[in-house]
Amino acid sequence: MKDFRDKIVVVTGAGSGMGRAYAVEFARLGARLALNDFDAPALAETVRLLGIDEGERLHSAAFDVGDRAAMERFAGDVRTRLGHAHVVINNAGIEGVGKPVWATPAEAYTRVLHVNFHGVLNGTQAFLPQLIENGEGAIVNVSSIFGLIGPPNHADYSASKFAVRGFTEALMVELRGTRIGVHLVHPGGIATNIARQDRTQAFRHKYLSTPPEAIVRHVIRGIRRGTPKIVYGHGSLKTWLGSNLLPLRWLNPIIWRDMAGVIDRRDYPPSPLTVLPSRDRHHPEPDQDQAA
């Protein structure tokens, strides 16, 4: 798809960050917009910034993208009020709890998968029939560079983004040869407000630096060119290269060294290097000079 003028573009998570940037850029390109966010005041602020009244060029609705029935109602309302969707940007997402696997409660995995994966699943399945009926369109599913590697203290988030990756890559194969483009986006460190917890602020300051407007423009170029996998943003190139070229026995220590200084390590056991050797005949206790 090359021209977005008067095309109907759906954007989830449009209340801030990349979602708001998608709304602004597609509005500039003359598209009609269907916008969602869970945060109603933030979504209303995006609509205010666009300067477009609700009506034949814009429809917005605040709801949880993980709620299948709500997503289906949204798709039906978009069809009724605007027409069949042409482009669907499944962008909505939340951060994990920022703890290692053993300290992350089961409900945290459920919550993150509910939004980050099921939101993509619901948005794709609810709107794909409209694209098929149009005979053209684009599905854009937002994963992460943490859908390329498994970083410490992000297992819940990473699991959801790997799920988006697998789902979207399968969809690409299924829709091969059609005029419906399927695009998988792996953002690097984008300067959004996704990292809100105190324990993730060091991570945010080190990594989240690429302006959301920059990746949005890059993704739109990717849609126009038919690029299936779009990797862009701070740290994305080295992450993509590492995930493709390095065996895990080399890659994992590199990831740890890069991130060890910005993750909360209070839930970690003492390092094996700090544990004294056992006192037996095979491991005699070192003298004071050796221990130092």
Side-chain angles (χ1 to χ4, degrees):
M1 181 171 289
K2 307 290 186 182
D3 183 10
F4 302 104
R5 181 165 300 278
D6 291 325
K7 297 296 192 298
I8 297 163
V9 177
V10 178
V11 182
T12 66
S16 63
M18 288 187 291
R20 178 173 287 172
Y22 278 116
V24 170
E25 187 64 17
F26 276 113
R28 187 185 69 80
L29 294 172
R32 292 183 285 165
L33 300 173
L35 306 179
N36 148 271
D37 202 279
F38 182 72
D39 185 337
L43 181 60
E45 177 62 14
T46 296
V47 173
R48 187 192 69 78
L49 289 171
L50 293 173
I52 304 173
D53 293 333
E54 294 270 349
E56 65 177 15
R57 299 204 66 83
L58 185 143
H59 171 64
S60 66
F63 64 92
D64 173 6
V65 293
D67 182 334
R68 180 56 175 250
M71 183 65 79
E72 290 178 346
R73 285 194 298 272
F74 181 55
D77 289 343
V78 170
R79 183 179 60 245
T80 300
R81 299 179 186 189
L82 302 178
H84 287 167
H86 296 89
V87 179
V88 180
I89 313 285
N90 287 308
N91 164 79
I94 58 173
E95 68 176 328
V97 298
K99 294 185 176 186
V101 167
W102 56 87
T104 301
E107 56 268 23
Y109 293 99
T110 300
R111 170 178 168 268
V112 174
L113 284 164
H114 172 79
V115 177
N116 293 1
F117 173 63
H118 286 280
V120 170
L121 169 65
N122 293 342
T124 300
Q125 289 193 317
F127 282 99
L128 189 53
Q130 297 183 22
L131 274 63
I132 292 172
E133 193 163 338
N134 286 337
E136 66 170 352
I139 294 282
V140 180
N141 290 341
V142 180
S143 177
S144 166
I145 56 170
F146 288 174
L148 299 172
I149 62 168
N153 283 33
H154 293 83
D156 49 357
Y157 183 82
S158 188
S160 71
K161 294 304 186 176
F162 266 89
V164 170
R165 175 185 174 183
F167 170 78
T168 307
E169 289 183 357
L171 183 63
M172 288 178 186
V173 180
E174 293 167 351
L175 290 176
R176 71 197 186 285
T178 73
R179 295 182 63 196
I180 298 172
V182 180
H183 308 272
L184 175 61
V185 182
H186 291 281
I190 310 300
T192 71
N193 63 354
I194 191 170
R196 302 183 182 186
Q197 302 176 81
D198 289 343
R199 67 171 59 230
T200 57
Q201 291 312 294
F203 172 89
R204 179 175 68 84
H205 289 302
K206 179 175 180 179
Y207 294 111
L208 306 188
S209 60
T210 299
E213 296 79 11
I215 188 171
V216 163
R217 289 191 290 268
H218 188 77
V219 169
I220 290 173
R221 287 195 294 270
I223 297 172
R224 284 174 164 154
R225 295 170 180 169
T227 307
K229 180 173 285 189
I230 301 168
V231 182
Y232 186 85
H234 178 73
S236 62
L237 178 59
K238 69 177 183 180
T239 303
W240 178 79
L241 288 172
S243 67
N244 281 280
L245 300 178
L246 297 180
L248 288 176
R249 68 177 179 274
W250 296 350
L251 181 60
N252 289 345
I254 293 171
I255 295 170
W256 176 259
R257 284 195 297 270
D258 192 62
M259 297 190 65
V262 298
I263 61 171
D264 188 334
R265 297 168 67 177
R266 287 174 291 179
D267 294 306
Y268 282 73
S271 167
L273 297 177
T274 67
V275 179
L276 292 175
S278 59
R279 298 182 181 183
D280 58 33
R281 61 189 180 89
H282 298 293
H283 298 89
E285 182 178 5
D287 60 33
Q288 188 64 38
D289 290 339
Q290 291 173 320

